Amino acid sequence: MSKFETVKIEILKDETLSDNWYHLRNITYRYTDSRRETKIHKREAYDRGNGATILLYDPRRDTVVLVRQFRVPTYVNGYHGWLLETPAGLLDGENPAEAIRREVMEETGYLLKDVRFLFKSFMSPGSVTEIVHFFAAVIDSSDQAEEGGGAAHEGEDIEVVEIPLTDAMKMIENGDICDGKTIMLLQWAALNRTSLSA
Protein backbone atom coordinates (compact mmCIF):
# COMPACT_ATOMS: atom_id res chain seq x y z
CA MET A 1 0.00 0.00 0.00
CA SER A 2 1.35 3.40 -0.99
CA LYS A 3 1.50 6.09 1.66
CA PHE A 4 -0.41 8.33 -0.75
CA GLU A 5 -3.55 6.17 -0.54
CA THR A 6 -4.46 8.11 2.61
CA VAL A 7 -4.07 11.52 0.95
CA LYS A 8 -7.29 13.50 0.51
CA ILE A 9 -7.76 16.26 -2.07
CA GLU A 10 -10.71 18.62 -2.26
CA ILE A 11 -11.03 21.36 -4.89
CA LEU A 12 -12.23 24.51 -3.14
CA LYS A 13 -12.16 26.97 -6.04
CA ASP A 14 -11.46 26.68 -9.78
CA GLU A 15 -11.41 30.08 -11.47
CA THR A 16 -10.54 31.02 -15.03
CA LEU A 17 -7.76 33.59 -15.28
CA SER A 18 -7.69 33.63 -19.08
CA ASP A 19 -9.50 31.89 -21.92
CA ASN A 20 -7.96 33.85 -24.77
CA TRP A 21 -6.20 31.05 -26.68
CA TYR A 22 -6.47 28.18 -24.19
CA HIS A 23 -7.60 28.16 -20.55
CA LEU A 24 -5.44 29.32 -17.67
CA ARG A 25 -7.03 28.23 -14.40
CA ASN A 26 -6.26 29.18 -10.80
CA ILE A 27 -7.10 26.20 -8.59
CA THR A 28 -7.38 26.34 -4.81
CA TYR A 29 -7.50 22.96 -3.09
CA ARG A 30 -7.34 21.41 0.34
CA TYR A 31 -4.61 18.76 0.63
CA THR A 32 -4.52 16.36 3.58
CA ASP A 33 -1.11 14.74 3.24
CA SER A 34 0.22 11.32 4.19
CA ARG A 35 1.05 12.65 7.69
CA ARG A 36 -2.61 13.75 8.04
CA GLU A 37 -1.65 17.43 7.95
CA THR A 38 -4.05 19.64 6.04
CA LYS A 39 -2.94 22.61 3.98
CA ILE A 40 -4.55 24.90 1.44
CA HIS A 41 -2.67 25.19 -1.87
CA LYS A 42 -3.11 27.47 -4.88
CA ARG A 43 -1.79 26.40 -8.27
CA GLU A 44 -2.24 27.57 -11.82
CA ALA A 45 -2.98 25.01 -14.53
CA TYR A 46 -2.88 25.61 -18.27
CA ASP A 47 -5.61 23.62 -20.05
CA ARG A 48 -5.08 23.37 -23.80
CA GLY A 49 -6.80 20.05 -24.42
CA ASN A 50 -5.13 16.73 -25.20
CA GLY A 51 -2.98 16.08 -28.25
CA ALA A 52 -1.24 13.52 -30.42
CA THR A 53 2.14 13.25 -32.12
CA ILE A 54 3.70 10.76 -34.52
CA LEU A 55 7.03 9.51 -35.78
CA LEU A 56 7.03 9.19 -39.57
CA TYR A 57 9.75 6.68 -40.53
CA ASP A 58 10.87 5.57 -43.98
CA PRO A 59 12.71 2.25 -43.46
CA ARG A 60 13.96 2.05 -47.05
CA ARG A 61 15.88 5.30 -46.69
CA ASP A 62 16.25 5.16 -42.86
CA THR A 63 14.84 8.68 -42.60
CA VAL A 64 12.28 10.50 -40.48
CA VAL A 65 9.94 13.27 -41.61
CA LEU A 66 9.81 16.23 -39.23
CA VAL A 67 8.28 19.67 -39.43
CA ARG A 68 9.84 23.05 -38.67
CA GLN A 69 7.73 25.94 -37.43
CA PHE A 70 8.02 29.05 -35.29
CA ARG A 71 7.12 28.64 -31.60
CA VAL A 72 6.83 31.95 -29.75
CA PRO A 73 7.24 30.52 -26.19
CA THR A 74 10.67 29.15 -27.17
CA TYR A 75 11.58 32.48 -28.75
CA VAL A 76 10.79 34.52 -25.63
CA ASN A 77 12.87 32.01 -23.61
CA GLY A 78 16.03 32.85 -25.56
CA TYR A 79 15.84 30.29 -28.39
CA HIS A 80 15.59 31.33 -32.07
CA GLY A 81 12.04 29.95 -32.11
CA TRP A 82 12.27 27.60 -35.12
CA LEU A 83 11.62 24.14 -33.71
CA LEU A 84 12.12 20.85 -35.53
CA GLU A 85 9.32 18.58 -34.33
CA THR A 86 7.38 15.44 -35.06
CA PRO A 87 3.97 16.30 -36.56
CA ALA A 88 1.48 16.95 -33.77
CA GLY A 89 -1.75 18.66 -32.88
CA LEU A 90 -4.73 18.84 -30.59
CA LEU A 91 -7.43 16.19 -30.72
CA ASP A 92 -10.26 18.68 -31.32
CA GLY A 93 -12.89 16.11 -30.31
CA GLU A 94 -11.50 13.29 -32.47
CA ASN A 95 -9.99 10.07 -31.21
CA PRO A 96 -6.18 10.30 -31.14
CA ALA A 97 -5.57 8.08 -34.21
CA GLU A 98 -8.00 10.12 -36.36
CA ALA A 99 -6.57 13.40 -35.09
CA ILE A 100 -2.98 12.48 -35.90
CA ARG A 101 -3.91 11.36 -39.41
CA ARG A 102 -5.55 14.76 -39.99
CA GLU A 103 -2.56 16.63 -38.57
CA VAL A 104 -0.07 14.64 -40.67
CA MET A 105 -1.99 15.44 -43.86
CA GLU A 106 -2.22 19.15 -42.99
CA GLU A 107 1.41 19.50 -41.90
CA THR A 108 3.28 17.11 -44.23
CA GLY A 109 0.87 16.04 -46.97
CA TYR A 110 1.42 12.34 -46.15
CA LEU A 111 -1.55 10.00 -46.35
CA LEU A 112 -0.99 7.37 -43.69
CA LYS A 113 -1.92 3.72 -44.20
CA ASP A 114 -1.40 2.45 -40.67
CA VAL A 115 -0.67 4.21 -37.40
CA ARG A 116 0.74 2.35 -34.43
CA PHE A 117 -0.10 3.58 -30.93
CA LEU A 118 2.99 3.58 -28.69
CA PHE A 119 2.20 5.29 -25.36
CA LYS A 120 0.80 8.45 -23.82
CA SER A 121 2.44 10.99 -21.56
CA PHE A 122 1.91 14.15 -19.55
CA MET A 123 4.59 16.49 -20.92
CA SER A 124 4.67 19.14 -18.20
CA PRO A 125 2.48 17.85 -15.35
CA GLY A 126 3.43 20.60 -12.92
CA SER A 127 1.50 23.20 -14.90
CA VAL A 128 -0.14 21.80 -18.06
CA THR A 129 -3.13 19.40 -18.12
CA GLU A 130 -2.40 18.02 -21.61
CA ILE A 131 -1.90 14.32 -22.28
CA VAL A 132 -0.05 13.59 -25.54
CA HIS A 133 -0.75 10.32 -27.40
CA PHE A 134 2.35 9.01 -29.21
CA PHE A 135 2.20 7.10 -32.49
CA ALA A 136 4.55 5.77 -35.18
CA ALA A 137 3.94 5.10 -38.87
CA VAL A 138 6.03 3.58 -41.63
CA ILE A 139 5.97 5.76 -44.73
CA ASP A 140 7.32 5.85 -48.25
CA SER A 141 7.84 8.92 -50.44
CA SER A 142 4.91 7.75 -52.60
CA ASP A 143 2.61 8.31 -49.58
CA GLN A 144 3.02 12.09 -49.87
CA ALA A 145 -0.24 13.04 -51.59
CA GLU A 146 0.00 16.80 -51.01
CA GLU A 147 2.65 19.42 -50.30
CA GLY A 148 1.77 19.93 -46.63
CA GLY A 149 2.85 23.15 -44.94
CA GLY A 150 0.02 23.49 -42.45
CA ALA A 151 -3.56 24.70 -42.40
CA ALA A 152 -3.68 28.17 -43.95
CA HIS A 153 -6.92 29.04 -42.09
CA GLU A 154 -5.02 28.45 -38.80
CA GLY A 155 -2.13 30.68 -39.87
CA GLU A 156 0.33 27.76 -39.94
CA ASP A 157 3.60 28.17 -41.84
CA ILE A 158 5.34 24.77 -41.73
CA GLU A 159 8.40 23.40 -43.51
CA VAL A 160 8.53 19.63 -44.14
CA VAL A 161 12.02 18.24 -43.41
CA GLU A 162 13.30 14.72 -44.11
CA ILE A 163 16.39 13.71 -42.11
CA PRO A 164 18.35 10.45 -41.77
CA LEU A 165 17.55 8.94 -38.37
CA THR A 166 21.23 8.87 -37.39
CA ASP A 167 21.56 12.59 -38.19
CA ALA A 168 18.42 13.35 -36.17
CA MET A 169 19.93 11.57 -33.17
CA LYS A 170 23.08 13.73 -33.49
CA MET A 171 20.86 16.82 -33.69
CA ILE A 172 19.49 15.97 -30.24
CA GLU A 173 23.03 15.97 -28.85
CA ASN A 174 23.99 19.29 -30.43
CA GLY A 175 20.72 21.03 -29.50
CA ASP A 176 19.29 21.42 -33.01
CA ILE A 177 16.38 19.18 -31.93
CA CYS A 178 15.21 20.17 -28.45
CA ASP A 179 11.48 19.44 -28.45
CA GLY A 180 10.57 16.85 -25.79
CA LYS A 181 8.02 14.82 -27.74
CA THR A 182 10.35 14.66 -30.74
CA ILE A 183 13.29 13.49 -28.63
CA MET A 184 11.11 10.78 -27.07
CA LEU A 185 9.96 9.48 -30.45
CA LEU A 186 13.42 9.59 -32.04
CA GLN A 187 14.90 7.68 -29.13
CA TRP A 188 12.04 5.17 -29.38
CA ALA A 189 12.83 4.80 -33.11
CA ALA A 190 16.53 4.26 -32.46
CA LEU A 191 15.67 1.47 -30.00
CA ASN A 192 12.98 -0.08 -32.21
CA ARG A 193 14.34 0.44 -35.73
CA THR A 194 14.16 -3.31 -36.47
CA SER A 195 10.48 -3.63 -35.57
CA LEU A 196 9.66 -0.54 -37.65
CA SER A 197 11.42 -2.02 -40.68
CA ALA A 198 9.66 -5.39 -40.43
Side-chain angles (χ1 to χ4, degrees):
M1 176 171 146
S2 167
K3 72 177 192 172
F4 294 112
E5 289 182 24
T6 61
V7 168
K8 291 189 171 92
I9 299 158
E10 179 188 359
I11 303 294
L12 302 175
K13 188 194 250 184
D14 186 346
E15 57 186 330
T16 299
L17 299 178
S18 171
D19 64 356
N20 184 26
W21 188 252
Y22 302 120
H23 299 281
L24 178 61
R25 299 158 63 187
N26 191 15
I27 299 166
T28 306
Y29 63 98
R30 179 180 292 116
Y31 185 94
T32 304
D33 66 22
S34 58
R35 295 177 299 279
R36 293 190 170 84
E37 295 176 9
T38 300
K39 296 183 174 90
I40 304 294
H41 294 286
K42 263 190 183 185
R43 298 289 185 271
E44 290 179 2
Y46 195 49
D47 187 353
R48 59 186 307 269
N50 295 325
T53 188
I54 192 164
L55 175 85
L56 301 177
Y57 178 68
D58 183 335
R60 188 173 56 82
R61 293 184 291 177
D62 196 27
T63 58
V64 293
V65 172
L66 303 176
V67 294
R68 181 180 288 128
Q69 59 187 312
F70 180 73
R71 298 296 199 182
V72 73
T74 71
Y75 183 77
V76 298
N77 197 23
Y79 192 66
H80 53 69
W82 296 99
L83 240 58
L84 263 175
E85 306 173 57
T86 49
L90 296 177
L91 302 185
D92 292 332
E94 294 175 298
N95 77 48
E98 289 172 355
I100 201 58
R101 285 175 188 276
R102 171 182 44 79
E103 288 293 336
V104 166
M105 179 55 81
E106 287 176 4
E107 294 184 7
T108 70
Y110 277 82
L111 185 61
L112 300 181
K113 296 179 188 101
D114 296 307
V115 297
R116 174 179 170 187
F117 174 75
L118 304 177
F119 52 87
K120 60 185 177 180
S121 175
F122 286 101
M123 298 302 292
S124 188
S127 59
V128 181
T129 62
E130 181 184 30
I131 295 172
V132 177
H133 301 260
F134 288 74
F135 293 87
V138 171
I139 58 164
D140 181 89
S141 57
S142 64
D143 297 327
Q144 191 172 18
E146 297 177 7
E147 185 179 339
H153 68 278
E154 293 178 13
E156 292 180 329
D157 186 21
I158 293 172
E159 178 187 8
V160 181
V161 181
E162 185 171 8
I163 304 171
L165 179 55
T166 52
D167 291 354
M169 297 305 293
K170 289 176 190 162
M171 293 171 79
I172 295 171
E173 292 176 24
N174 68 25
D176 289 335
I177 292 178
C178 56
D179 169 64
K181 67 186 180 301
T182 304
I183 292 170
M184 291 166 73
L185 280 172
L186 289 172
Q187 289 179 337
W188 182 90
L191 292 170
N192 295 279
R193 187 184 258 140
T194 308
S195 72
L196 276 169
S197 304

